Amino acid sequence: MSGDWRVRLREQGYRLTPQRELILEAVERLGHATPDEVLAEVRTHSTAVNASTVYRTLEMLEELGLVRHAHLSDRAPTYHSMDEHEHFHLVCRNCHKVISVDPDVLTPVSERLSAEHGFTIDVGHLTVFGICGDH
């Protein structure tokens, strides 16, 4: 994805700043991360980035379709790169483990919701809470 997001930024009229590059690379490295976790990761490489820059950049990157957020807890949203395959999340209420699941698992539910309610699921924002097999 590295080259692709650079092109997407330029095509949308955004400059590729060192801060934006550090933030997107941090999201890619961390997998699933809150803005504060992204900031901590970025700060290991540069102290020239502050929290408001991280929040603004994550919003902009989401508008461009380069990252996506999900609510995996009652904390801040968690961001992940759109370079990953489409997935939804299972979150264990005991150990807080996050499991990424292929959306095909939901096909029967999705088809039924579509047929009965004309409703299309936004799988990427779906989070299911429960208890994992380790507990």
Side-chain angles (χ1 to χ4, degrees), residues 91-109:
V91 178
C92 179
R93 290 199 186 274
N94 284 342
C95 70
H96 307 286
K97 177 168 62 173
V98 176
I99 303 166
S100 296
V101 180
D102 190 287
D104 291 346
V105 170
L106 295 174
T107 299
V109 173

Side-chain angles (χ1 to χ4, degrees), residues 55-94:
Y55 278 93
R56 280 194 320 272
T57 302
L58 288 171
E59 287 177 11
M60 182 261 305
L61 293 172
E62 186 162 28
E63 286 173 18
L64 294 176
L66 297 173
V67 301
R68 185 170 226 182
H69 81 274
H71 294 276
L72 304 182
S73 70
D74 55 359
R75 301 180 315 153
T78 300
Y79 289 83
H80 62 274
S81 170
M82 289 300 291
D83 197 23
E84 299 177 32
H85 67 284
E86 183 76 44
H87 62 275
F88 70 98
H89 304 96
L90 304 179
V91 178
C92 179
R93 290 199 186 274
N94 284 342

